[in-house]
Amino acid sequence: MIENPVSAARKLTHNEVIKQAIPTLAGTIGAVLADPAADRFAEDDIQFLKFHGIYQQDDRDQRKVAKHYMFMIRGRIPGGVLSPQQYLKFDDVATQQANNTLRLTSRQSIQFHGVVKTGLGPLMKAINQSLVDTLAACGDVNRNVMAPPAPVNNACSLQVREDARSVSEALLPKTKAYHAIWVEGVQLNLEDPEIKDFEDPLYGKTYLPRKFKVAFAIPPLNDVDLLTNDLGFIAIVEGGHLVGYNLAVGGGLGMSHGNAETFPRLADVVGFLSREQLVEVSKAVLTVHRDFGDRTNRRHARLKYVLEEKGVAWFRQELETRLGYALPAARPYTFEKQGDNFGWTRQLDGLDSLGLFVESGRIKDAEGYLLKTALRMLVQQYGPEVRLTPSQNIILANIKPENRAAITQLLATHGVAVENQASILRRASMACPALPTCGLALAESERYLPALLGKIEQLLVEVSLADEEIVIRMTGCPNGCARPYVAEIGFVGKAPGKYQLYLGGNESSTRLNRLYKENLREAEILNELRPLLTQFAAERVGAERFGDWCVRVVLKETVAQN
Ligand code: SRM
Ligand code: SF4
């Protein structure tokens, strides 16, 4: 491993110190888990828990009364694919150990919220028994690998999914701690030399300086928002065959308000590789992050800052030195669209699939809308493969066409429509969880966006744009979990009830939007949007989209078109 000159000259973060001290990431998690008197973990264990896919949280609605500790657990589900049995196990666990909801994430995973400490062990055991794990779903490692979830609609999609799975497996940490704690239920002996001196063959003793994210896309669809990832693979299909991938590196969205050292960045497309080279290229890119990422400042530690500061030419050379060969130039491709399809579709193999909209990814039962129960019954009776989408929705795949009508009926009896599932605006929206679970939230998001969308829908009716699709995304803080910086309209929480308004993303998620107005309350948001939408309706050229119009007319001085 190369010594990073930045980190050598400055003080390492506490996270670096604890990873170095306990490179198996075991901490004292096993011991605390077994202690019935403890209702939570101490600070260093909280950091180690993340590598196991677990966050310690507290219910922020209850804070004024008392701190009520609970856990969020996130699955590792490469490409978002679950067997029916695995989905049913996730549903069981959500009912028995969590808050009776399943939260589909913006990276094709599922999160459980509201798990108390006594439920943590049983939950983790149940997940692992269903042959899914939560290892590296969080932490300074490679996260859930995304891949297009749409069912067999071209001959290459299965290969791309296989490749996504191989990369996910190849980038897994090798520590024994995960299995020991969650499957065997034991605390590793930290004094045992084998444990103390453990060094991960890929990550070394200190893992990455920060998280690392990988996604695959099959153009022209950019349903994974590929360029927002540290590492992206763009499938190149020629003559109906998957011939390889264009390599994109250095994307990422997280930033902090008022800290110019942090910013969202789109990945650069740097070359082309064959399928056979996928794993070695993934490892080589990851190790550039491992060796050159900033370990002295976690807000500045993502691969995107290495790319930004050292440049693409430097990165390419460093990568090629590690690989021992040069990568040919990237091949032509075009992204046209992001987002999901809803309703019934016929797959290439003659089976059917059903895309269902899930508001903010929250599968739950509400009055008159029993989505959780309906999905459970449907999966039990018809056994579809379950696919989670990067826009927090769900696809039920490989359904026999003769079951279409009965499934539509089953859903209808539970208040879930198959046609016109939600308004065009809602179908293109995303919100992060924010309050009450997220410790970093500055404002509401999942609990507020539906109401705000209702008001924006009214505005659109006023200006005769009721059928207009505008990609709107909201987050409760600037970390960017619902990828608001590539939306046509992005709302980013600044303080309770106040949002930054971003404008100018595009339909294909290949352009960052720009900050337009700051610190807006709801009335101010609507006052800003009303004249813009009115002018857009009057002046747009042809089928021009709102984001493109904003760039052309409203933001023309600040946005470099791409
Ligand atoms: Fe995220 C932290 C939720 C996708 C950037 N994210 C968090 C935490 C764990 C809060 C925390 O650290 O205490 C949130 C848990 C909230 C809760 O109560 O559940 C959280 N992030 C989510 C999810 C569930 C949002 C969603 O609506 O689905 C997504 C889970 C994805 C998954 O399955 O792995 C999620 N997070 C993202 C994305 C989008 C993506 O990856 O495509 C981003 C922006 C892309 C990027 O990474 O740059 C994102 N999350 C962050 C950051 C900022 C990282 C940075 O570089 O600055 C944080 C803060 C941190 O890591 O310290 C964060
Ligand atoms: Fe929490 Fe901020 Fe992510 Fe929303 S964007 S889940 S508020 S960290």
Side-chain angles (χ1 to χ4, degrees):
M1 202 182 301
I2 298 170
E3 189 175 32
N4 179 339
V6 178
S7 307
R10 287 157 62 188
K11 194 166 173 279
L12 294 175
T13 61
H14 184 64
N15 291 61
E16 295 303 322
V17 175
I18 63 172
K19 287 182 282 184
Q20 173 89 40
I22 309 183
T24 52
L25 312 167
T28 56
I29 297 170
V32 178
L33 193 69
D35 175 2
D39 67 345
R40 65 188 135 125
F41 294 83
E43 192 46 43
D44 289 356
D45 280 349
I46 291 175
Q47 298 307 324
F48 289 128
L49 275 170
K50 294 182 184 174
F51 291 81
H52 303 237
I54 300 167
Y55 277 79
Q56 181 166 302
Q57 302 182 318
D58 70 283
D59 182 344
R60 294 184 60 184
D61 285 346
Q62 304 287 324
R63 265 191 197 172
K64 283 204 178 113
V65 185
K67 269 208 165 185
H68 174 75
Y69 291 99
M70 57 191 193
F71 297 87
M72 178 273 273
I73 297 96
R74 185 185 288 164
R76 181 178 68 92
I77 310 176
V81 182
L82 288 175
S83 69
Q85 295 75 18
Q86 287 168 333
Y87 179 82
L88 290 172
K89 182 54 82 178
F90 270 67
D91 180 87
D92 282 345
V93 163
T95 317
Q96 289 158 18
Q97 312 292 353
N99 65 356
N100 204 20
T101 74
L102 295 145
R103 177 52 159 79
L104 310 185
T105 75
S106 57
R107 294 194 70 80
Q108 300 180 281
S109 181
I110 294 180
Q111 286 187 178
F112 302 103
H113 283 115
V115 178
V116 293
K117 186 177 158 263
T118 47
L120 195 52
L123 180 148
M124 293 291 283
K125 221 176 208 140
I127 295 294
N128 279 280
Q129 275 164 359
S130 73
L131 302 182
V132 183
D133 60 63
T134 63
L135 177 61
C138 315
D140 298 342
V141 281
N142 174 49
R143 303 290 186 89
N144 202 39
V145 175
M146 292 207 278
V152 197
N153 51 14
N154 76 50
C156 304
S157 50
L158 277 177
Q159 289 175 315
V160 172
R161 271 169 53 193
E162 261 169 42
D163 289 345
R165 187 166 279 282
S166 319
V167 169
S168 176
E169 295 301 319
L171 302 187
L172 271 181
K174 300 282 183 287
T175 171
K176 286 181 184 164
Y178 183 86
H179 197 267
I181 299 168
W182 306 111
V183 180
E184 293 163 21
V186 296
Q187 166 70 46
L188 289 185
N189 174 5
L190 300 180
E191 297 312 317
D192 177 343
E194 201 198 323
I195 301 302
K196 214 172 178 166
D197 301 333
F198 172 75
E199 181 159 348
D200 187 275
L202 176 63
Y203 290 100
K205 270 183 181 290
T206 48
Y207 297 81
L208 298 180
R210 205 66 164 87
K211 59 182 78 170
F212 184 83
K213 296 181 172 178
V214 183
F216 287 70
I218 309 177
L221 189 61
N222 187 17
D223 50 359
V224 297
D225 291 349
L226 186 113
L227 301 178
T228 65
N229 287 267
D230 297 85
L231 171 56
F233 293 109
I234 303 168
I236 301 297
V237 179
E238 289 171 359
H241 298 288
L242 176 66
V243 293
Y245 295 95
N246 281 348
L247 172 66
V249 284
L253 296 182
M255 57 166 279
S256 309
H257 289 309
N259 178 353
E261 219 188 9
T262 66
F263 44 84
R265 183 182 194 278
L266 293 183
D268 294 286
V269 178
V270 301
F272 173 83
L273 57 128
S274 67
R275 285 185 77 198
E276 293 66 41
Q277 293 167 324
L278 251 185
V279 166
E280 62 192 11
V281 169
S282 300
K283 287 185 175 174
V285 174
L286 181 139
T287 60
V288 175
H289 182 211
R290 181 194 67 191
D291 297 345
F292 289 93
D294 186 347
R295 291 181 186 263
T296 66
N297 175 2
R298 285 181 67 79
R299 292 185 189 279
H300 183 255
R302 296 289 294 272
L303 179 64
K304 65 182 173 182
Y305 300 117
V306 177
L307 260 290
E308 187 68 19
E309 285 152 26
K310 291 187 177 285
V312 177
W314 172 89
F315 177 84
R316 215 187 139 103
Q317 196 172 14
E318 181 63 36
L319 179 68
E320 291 177 352
T321 306
R322 284 166 194 244
L323 290 171
Y325 54 83
L327 291 179
R331 306 231 177 139
Y333 73 96
T334 320
F335 282 135
E336 289 171 2
K337 200 168 165 23
Q338 54 82 54
D340 295 329
N341 287 321
F342 301 98
W344 286 107
T345 353
R346 179 66 32 95
Q347 301 174 182
L348 201 69
D349 57 7
L351 294 172
D352 280 352
S353 67
L354 175 63
L356 285 177
F357 169 70
V358 183
E359 188 159 68
S360 306
R362 186 71 67 178
I363 296 181
K364 62 179 179 188
D365 284 344
E367 210 180 325
Y369 185 72
L370 302 175
L371 180 62
K372 182 168 178 289
T373 302
L375 282 174
R376 179 173 183 88
M377 289 174 69
L378 192 163
V379 174
Q380 258 170 349
Q381 285 176 36
Y382 301 99
E385 186 171 81
V386 175
R387 312 252 180 101
L388 314 172
T389 83
S391 297
Q392 307 167 331
N393 297 307
I394 196 164
I395 299 171
L396 304 166
N398 306 339
I399 295 172
K400 290 192 185 125
E402 59 268 30
N403 291 331
R404 245 195 207 207
I407 288 177
T408 302
Q409 182 55 36
L410 186 158
L411 290 166
T413 357
H414 291 83
V416 181
V418 161
E419 303 287 330
N420 302 320
Q421 295 180 17
S423 73
I424 191 160
L425 215 58
R426 282 168 207 274
R427 291 200 308 255
S429 70
M430 273 210 276
C432 73
L435 294 162
T437 53
C438 178
L440 306 177
L442 304 172
E444 294 281 354
S445 180
E446 181 183 323
R447 296 196 293 197
Y448 171 53
L449 185 64
L452 181 64
L453 286 180
K455 295 188 175 147
I456 298 175
E457 276 164 359
Q458 280 169 20
L459 279 186
L460 287 167
V461 170
E462 276 172 38
V463 299
S464 307
L465 287 176
D467 295 328
E468 189 66 23
E469 183 188 85
I470 302 177
V471 176
I472 301 183
R473 295 177 179 175
M474 175 177 272
T475 55
C477 87
N479 282 321
C481 298
R483 298 187 291 272
Y485 306 116
V486 284
E488 293 180 282
I489 302 180
F491 296 109
V492 174
K494 184 82 187 285
K498 290 188 176 176
Y499 296 85
Q500 309 289 80
L501 171 59
Y502 286 78
L503 298 176
N506 61 1
E507 190 182 11
S508 55
S509 272
T510 53
R511 181 173 64 212
L512 290 175
N513 51 23
R514 287 289 187 280
L515 181 58
Y516 178 64
K517 288 282 156 82
E518 297 198 65
N519 263 319
L520 303 182
R521 292 190 178 279
E522 181 176 284
E524 295 159 329
I525 290 174
L526 298 173
N527 283 342
E528 291 294 340
L529 289 180
R530 184 176 287 106
L532 289 174
L533 291 168
T534 308
Q535 195 186 344
F536 166 61
E539 294 178 3
R540 73 195 298 196
V541 179
E544 188 176 29
R545 289 186 63 109
F546 183 66
D548 296 333
W549 177 82
C550 285
V551 169
R552 186 170 65 78
V553 177
V554 186
L555 308 163
K556 54 182 181 285
E557 259 123 61
T558 49
V559 179
Q561 287 257 20
N562 52 6

Coordinates of all heavy atoms in Angstrom, one line a residue, residues 28-35 38-42 45-46 48-50 52-57 69-74 93 96-98 111-129 134 178 181-183 185:
T28 N -16.3 -4.5 20.4 CA -16.8 -5.3 21.5 C -18.3 -5.7 21.2 O -19.1 -5.9 22.1 CB -16.6 -4.6 22.9 OG1 -17.3 -3.4 22.8 CG2 -15.2 -4.4 23.2
I29 N -18.6 -5.7 19.9 CA -20.0 -5.8 19.6 C -20.6 -7.1 20.1 O -21.7 -7.1 20.7 CB -20.2 -5.8 18.0 CG1 -19.8 -4.5 17.4 CG2 -21.7 -6.1 17.6 CD1 -19.7 -4.5 15.9
G30 N -19.9 -8.2 20.0 CA -20.4 -9.5 20.5 C -20.7 -9.5 21.9 O -21.7 -10.0 22.4
A31 N -19.8 -8.9 22.7 CA -19.9 -8.9 24.2 C -21.1 -8.0 24.5 O -22.0 -8.4 25.4 CB -18.7 -8.4 24.8
V32 N -21.2 -6.8 23.9 CA -22.3 -5.9 24.3 C -23.7 -6.5 23.8 O -24.7 -6.4 24.5 CB -22.1 -4.5 23.6 CG1 -23.3 -3.6 23.9 CG2 -20.8 -3.9 24.1
L33 N -23.7 -7.2 22.7 CA -24.9 -7.9 22.3 C -25.4 -8.9 23.3 O -26.6 -9.0 23.5 CB -24.6 -8.6 20.9 CG -25.8 -9.0 20.1 CD1 -26.6 -7.8 19.6 CD2 -25.3 -9.9 18.9
A34 N -24.4 -9.6 23.9 CA -24.8 -10.6 24.8 C -25.2 -10.1 26.2 O -25.6 -10.8 27.1 CB -23.6 -11.6 25.0
D35 N -25.0 -8.8 26.4 CA -25.2 -8.2 27.7 C -26.6 -7.7 27.8 O -27.0 -6.6 27.2 CB -24.2 -7.0 28.0 CG -24.4 -6.3 29.3 OD1 -25.4 -6.7 30.0 OD2 -23.7 -5.3 29.5
A38 N -27.4 -3.9 28.6 CA -27.0 -2.7 27.7 C -28.1 -2.6 26.7 O -28.5 -3.5 26.0 CB -25.7 -3.1 27.0
D39 N -28.6 -1.3 26.5 CA -29.6 -1.1 25.5 C -29.0 -0.4 24.3 O -29.7 0.0 23.3 CB -30.8 -0.2 26.1 CG -30.3 1.2 26.4 OD1 -29.1 1.5 26.5 OD2 -31.2 2.1 26.6
R40 N -27.7 -0.2 24.3 CA -27.0 0.4 23.1 C -25.5 0.1 23.2 O -25.0 -0.4 24.1 CB -27.3 1.9 23.2 CG -26.6 2.5 24.4 CD -27.0 4.0 24.5 NE -27.3 4.3 25.9 CZ -26.8 5.2 26.6 NH1 -25.9 6.0 26.0 NH2 -27.1 5.4 27.8
F41 N -24.8 0.6 22.1 CA -23.4 0.4 22.0 C -22.7 1.7 22.2 O -23.2 2.8 22.0 CB -23.1 -0.2 20.6 CG -23.6 -1.5 20.3 CD1 -24.9 -1.7 19.9 CD2 -22.8 -2.7 20.5 CE1 -25.5 -2.9 19.7 CE2 -23.4 -3.9 20.3 CZ -24.7 -4.1 19.9
A42 N -21.4 1.6 22.6 CA -20.6 2.8 22.8 C -20.0 3.3 21.4 O -20.1 2.6 20.4 CB -19.5 2.5 23.8
D45 N -17.9 1.1 18.9 CA -18.7 0.0 18.4 C -19.7 0.5 17.4 O -20.0 -0.2 16.4 CB -19.4 -0.8 19.5 CG -18.5 -1.8 20.2 OD1 -17.4 -2.0 19.7 OD2 -18.9 -2.3 21.3
I46 N -20.2 1.7 17.6 CA -21.2 2.3 16.7 C -20.6 2.4 15.3 O -21.2 2.1 14.3 CB -21.7 3.6 17.2 CG1 -22.6 3.5 18.4 CG2 -22.5 4.4 16.1 CD1 -23.0 4.8 19.1
F48 N -18.0 0.5 14.2 CA -17.7 -0.8 13.6 C -19.1 -1.4 13.1 O -19.1 -2.2 12.1 CB -17.1 -1.8 14.7 CG -15.7 -1.4 15.0 CD1 -15.3 -1.2 16.3 CD2 -14.7 -1.3 14.0 CE1 -14.0 -0.9 16.6 CE2 -13.4 -1.0 14.3 CZ -13.0 -0.8 15.6
L49 N -20.1 -1.2 13.9 CA -21.4 -1.7 13.5 C -21.8 -1.4 12.0 O -22.4 -2.2 11.3 CB -22.6 -1.2 14.4 CG -22.8 -2.0 15.7 CD1 -23.7 -1.2 16.6 CD2 -23.3 -3.4 15.5
K50 N -21.4 -0.2 11.6 CA -21.8 0.2 10.2 C -21.2 -0.7 9.2 O -21.9 -1.0 8.2 CB -21.2 1.7 10.0 CG -21.9 2.7 10.9 CD -21.4 4.1 10.6 CE -22.0 5.1 11.5 NZ -21.5 6.4 11.4
H52 N -21.1 -3.7 9.5 CA -22.0 -4.9 9.5 C -23.4 -4.6 9.0 O -24.3 -5.4 9.1 CB -22.0 -5.4 11.0 CG -20.7 -5.8 11.6 ND1 -20.4 -7.0 12.1 CD2 -19.6 -5.0 11.8 CE1 -19.2 -7.0 12.6 NE2 -18.7 -5.8 12.4
G53 N -23.5 -3.4 8.5 CA -24.8 -3.0 7.9 C -25.8 -2.4 8.9 O -27.0 -2.4 8.7
I54 N -25.3 -2.0 10.1 CA -26.2 -1.6 11.2 C -25.9 -0.1 11.7 O -24.7 0.2 11.9 CB -26.0 -2.5 12.4 CG1 -26.3 -3.9 11.9 CG2 -26.8 -2.1 13.6 CD1 -25.9 -5.0 12.9
Y55 N -26.9 0.7 11.9 CA -26.7 2.0 12.4 C -27.5 2.1 13.7 O -28.6 1.7 13.8 CB -27.3 3.1 11.5 CG -26.4 3.5 10.4 CD1 -26.3 2.7 9.3 CD2 -25.7 4.7 10.5 CE1 -25.4 3.1 8.2 CE2 -24.8 5.0 9.4 CZ -24.7 4.2 8.3 OH -23.9 4.6 7.3
Q56 N -26.8 2.6 14.7 CA -27.5 2.9 16.0 C -28.1 4.3 15.8 O -27.5 5.3 15.5 CB -26.5 2.9 17.2 CG -27.2 3.2 18.5 CD -26.3 2.8 19.7 OE1 -25.9 1.7 19.8 NE2 -26.1 3.8 20.5
Q57 N -29.4 4.4 16.1 CA -30.2 5.6 16.0 C -31.0 5.9 17.2 O -31.0 5.0 18.1 CB -31.1 5.5 14.8 CG -30.5 5.2 13.4 CD -31.5 5.2 12.3 OE1 -32.6 4.6 12.4 NE2 -31.1 5.7 11.1
Y69 N -33.2 4.5 22.1 CA -32.3 3.9 21.2 C -32.9 2.8 20.3 O -33.7 2.1 20.8 CB -31.0 3.4 21.9 CG -30.2 4.5 22.5 CD1 -30.3 4.9 23.8 CD2 -29.4 5.3 21.7 CE1 -29.6 5.9 24.3 CE2 -28.7 6.4 22.2 CZ -28.8 6.7 23.5 OH -28.1 7.7 24.0
M70 N -32.5 2.8 19.1 CA -33.0 1.8 18.2 C -32.0 1.6 17.1 O -31.1 2.4 16.9 CB -34.4 2.1 17.7 CG -34.4 3.5 17.0 SD -36.1 4.0 16.7 CE -35.7 5.4 15.6
F71 N -32.2 0.6 16.2 CA -31.3 0.3 15.2 C -31.9 0.3 13.8 O -33.1 -0.1 13.6 CB -30.6 -1.0 15.5 CG -29.8 -1.0 16.7 CD1 -30.5 -1.3 18.0 CD2 -28.5 -0.6 16.7 CE1 -29.8 -1.1 19.1 CE2 -27.8 -0.5 17.9 CZ -28.4 -0.8 19.1
M72 N -31.1 0.7 12.8 CA -31.5 0.6 11.4 C -30.6 -0.4 10.8 O -29.3 -0.4 11.0 CB -31.3 1.9 10.7 CG -31.7 1.9 9.2 SD -30.3 1.5 8.2 CE -29.5 3.0 7.9
I73 N -31.1 -1.4 10.1 CA -30.3 -2.4 9.4 C -30.6 -2.4 8.0 O -31.7 -2.3 7.5 CB -30.6 -3.8 10.0 CG1 -30.3 -3.9 11.5 CG2 -29.8 -4.9 9.3 CD1 -31.4 -3.6 12.4
R74 N -29.5 -2.5 7.2 CA -29.6 -2.4 5.7 C -29.0 -3.7 5.1 O -28.0 -4.2 5.5 CB -28.8 -1.2 5.3 CG -28.9 -0.9 3.8 CD -27.9 0.2 3.4 NE -28.3 1.5 3.9 CZ -27.5 2.6 4.0 NH1 -26.3 2.5 3.6 NH2 -28.0 3.8 4.4
V93 N -39.3 -10.4 9.2 CA -38.5 -9.7 10.1 C -39.0 -8.3 10.4 O -39.0 -7.9 11.5 CB -37.0 -9.7 9.5 CG1 -36.2 -8.7 10.1 CG2 -36.4 -11.1 9.6
Q96 N -41.8 -8.7 12.8 CA -41.5 -9.2 14.2 C -40.5 -8.4 14.9 O -40.6 -8.3 16.1 CB -41.0 -10.7 14.0 CG -42.1 -11.7 13.7 CD -41.6 -12.9 13.0 OE1 -40.4 -13.3 13.2 NE2 -42.4 -13.7 12.3
Q97 N -39.5 -7.9 14.2 CA -38.4 -7.2 14.9 C -38.3 -5.7 14.6 O -37.6 -5.0 15.3 CB -37.0 -7.8 14.5 CG -37.0 -9.3 14.5 CD -37.1 -9.9 16.0 OE1 -37.1 -9.1 16.9 NE2 -37.2 -11.2 16.1
A98 N -38.9 -5.2 13.6 CA -38.8 -3.8 13.3 C -40.1 -3.1 13.4 O -41.0 -3.5 14.1 CB -38.2 -3.7 11.8
Q111 N -34.1 -1.4 4.1 CA -33.8 -1.1 5.5 C -34.9 -1.4 6.4 O -36.1 -1.3 6.1 CB -33.5 0.4 5.6 CG -32.2 0.8 4.9 CD -31.8 2.3 5.2 OE1 -30.8 2.7 4.7 NE2 -32.6 3.0 5.9
F112 N -34.5 -1.9 7.6 CA -35.4 -2.1 8.7 C -35.2 -0.9 9.7 O -34.0 -0.6 10.0 CB -35.1 -3.4 9.5 CG -35.2 -4.6 8.6 CD1 -34.1 -5.2 8.1 CD2 -36.5 -5.1 8.2 CE1 -34.2 -6.3 7.3 CE2 -36.5 -6.2 7.4 CZ -35.4 -6.8 6.9
H113 N -36.2 -0.3 10.2 CA -36.1 0.8 11.2 C -36.7 0.4 12.5 O -37.6 -0.5 12.5 CB -36.8 2.0 10.6 CG -36.0 2.8 9.6 ND1 -36.5 2.9 8.3 CD2 -34.9 3.4 9.6 CE1 -35.6 3.6 7.6 NE2 -34.6 3.9 8.4
G114 N -36.3 1.0 13.6 CA -37.0 0.9 14.9 C -36.7 -0.4 15.5 O -37.5 -0.9 16.4
V115 N -35.6 -1.1 15.3 CA -35.3 -2.4 15.9 C -34.6 -2.1 17.3 O -33.7 -1.3 17.4 CB -34.3 -3.2 15.0 CG1 -33.9 -4.5 15.7 CG2 -34.9 -3.4 13.6
V116 N -35.1 -2.7 18.3 CA -34.5 -2.5 19.6 C -33.4 -3.5 19.8 O -33.3 -4.5 19.1 CB -35.5 -2.6 20.8 CG1 -36.5 -1.5 20.7 CG2 -36.2 -4.0 20.8
K117 N -32.5 -3.3 20.8 CA -31.3 -4.1 20.9 C -31.6 -5.6 21.0 O -30.9 -6.4 20.4 CB -30.4 -3.6 22.0 CG -29.1 -4.3 22.0 CD -28.1 -3.8 23.0 CE -27.1 -4.9 23.3 NZ -27.4 -5.7 24.5
T118 N -32.6 -5.9 21.8 CA -32.9 -7.3 22.0 C -33.3 -8.0 20.6 O -33.2 -9.2 20.5 CB -34.0 -7.6 23.0 OG1 -35.0 -6.7 22.7 CG2 -33.5 -7.4 24.4
G119 N -33.8 -7.2 19.7 CA -34.2 -7.7 18.4 C -33.1 -7.9 17.4 O -33.3 -8.5 16.4
L120 N -32.0 -7.2 17.7 CA -30.9 -7.1 16.7 C -30.3 -8.5 16.3 O -30.2 -8.9 15.2 CB -29.8 -6.2 17.3 CG -28.8 -5.7 16.3 CD1 -29.4 -5.0 15.1 CD2 -27.9 -4.7 17.1
G121 N -30.0 -9.3 17.4 CA -29.4 -10.6 17.1 C -30.4 -11.5 16.3 O -30.0 -12.1 15.3
P122 N -31.6 -11.7 16.8 CA -32.6 -12.5 16.0 C -32.8 -12.0 14.6 O -32.9 -12.8 13.7 CB -33.9 -12.4 16.8 CG -33.5 -12.0 18.2 CD -32.2 -11.3 18.1
L123 N -32.8 -10.7 14.4 CA -33.0 -10.2 13.1 C -31.9 -10.5 12.2 O -32.1 -11.0 11.0 CB -33.2 -8.6 13.1 CG -33.4 -7.9 11.8 CD1 -34.3 -6.7 12.0 CD2 -32.1 -7.5 11.1
M124 N -30.7 -10.3 12.7 CA -29.5 -10.6 11.8 C -29.4 -12.1 11.5 O -29.0 -12.5 10.4 CB -28.2 -10.1 12.6 CG -28.2 -8.6 12.7 SD -27.9 -7.8 11.2 CE -26.2 -8.0 10.9
K125 N -29.7 -12.9 12.5 CA -29.7 -14.4 12.2 C -30.7 -14.8 11.1 O -30.4 -15.5 10.2 CB -30.1 -15.1 13.5 CG -29.2 -16.3 13.7 CD -29.4 -17.0 15.0 CE -28.1 -17.7 15.3 NZ -27.7 -17.7 16.7
A126 N -31.9 -14.2 11.2 CA -33.0 -14.6 10.3 C -32.5 -14.1 8.9 O -32.7 -14.9 7.9 CB -34.3 -13.9 10.7
I127 N -32.0 -12.9 8.7 CA -31.6 -12.4 7.4 C -30.5 -13.4 6.9 O -30.6 -13.8 5.7 CB -31.0 -11.0 7.5 CG1 -32.1 -10.0 8.0 CG2 -30.3 -10.5 6.2 CD1 -33.1 -9.8 7.0
N128 N -29.5 -13.7 7.7 CA -28.4 -14.6 7.2 C -28.9 -16.0 6.8 O -28.4 -16.6 5.9 CB -27.3 -14.6 8.2 CG -26.4 -13.4 8.1 OD1 -25.5 -13.3 7.2 ND2 -26.6 -12.4 8.9
Q129 N -29.9 -16.5 7.6 CA -30.5 -17.8 7.3 C -31.1 -17.8 5.9 O -31.2 -18.8 5.2 CB -31.5 -18.2 8.3 CG -30.8 -18.9 9.5 CD -31.7 -19.0 10.7 OE1 -32.9 -18.5 10.7 NE2 -31.2 -19.6 11.8
T134 N -25.8 -8.6 5.4 CA -25.8 -7.1 5.6 C -24.4 -6.6 5.6 O -24.2 -5.4 5.9 CB -26.6 -6.7 6.9 OG1 -25.8 -7.2 8.0 CG2 -28.0 -7.2 6.9
Y178 N -18.0 -10.8 11.2 CA -19.4 -10.7 10.8 C -20.1 -12.1 11.1 O -21.1 -12.2 11.8 CB -19.6 -10.4 9.3 CG -21.0 -10.2 8.9 CD1 -21.7 -9.0 9.1 CD2 -21.7 -11.3 8.4 CE1 -23.0 -8.9 8.7 CE2 -23.0 -11.2 8.0 CZ -23.7 -10.0 8.2 OH -25.0 -9.9 7.8
I181 N -20.1 -12.9 15.0 CA -21.0 -12.2 15.9 C -22.5 -12.6 15.5 O -23.3 -12.9 16.4 CB -20.9 -10.7 15.7 CG1 -19.5 -10.2 16.1 CG2 -22.0 -9.9 16.5 CD1 -19.1 -8.8 15.8
W182 N -22.8 -12.5 14.2 CA -24.2 -12.6 13.9 C -24.7 -14.0 13.6 O -25.9 -14.3 13.7 CB -24.5 -11.7 12.7 CG -24.0 -10.3 13.0 CD1 -23.0 -9.7 12.4 CD2 -24.5 -9.4 14.0 NE1 -22.8 -8.4 12.9 CE2 -23.7 -8.2 13.9 CE3 -25.5 -9.4 14.9 CZ2 -23.9 -7.1 14.7 CZ3 -25.7 -8.3 15.7 CH2 -24.9 -7.2 15.7
V183 N -23.8 -14.9 13.2 CA -24.3 -16.3 12.9 C -23.9 -17.2 14.1 O -24.8 -17.9 14.6 CB -23.7 -16.8 11.6 CG1 -24.1 -18.2 11.3 CG2 -24.0 -15.8 10.4
G185 N -22.8 -16.1 17.1 CA -23.2 -15.4 18.4 C -22.0 -15.3 19.3 O -22.2 -15.5 20.5

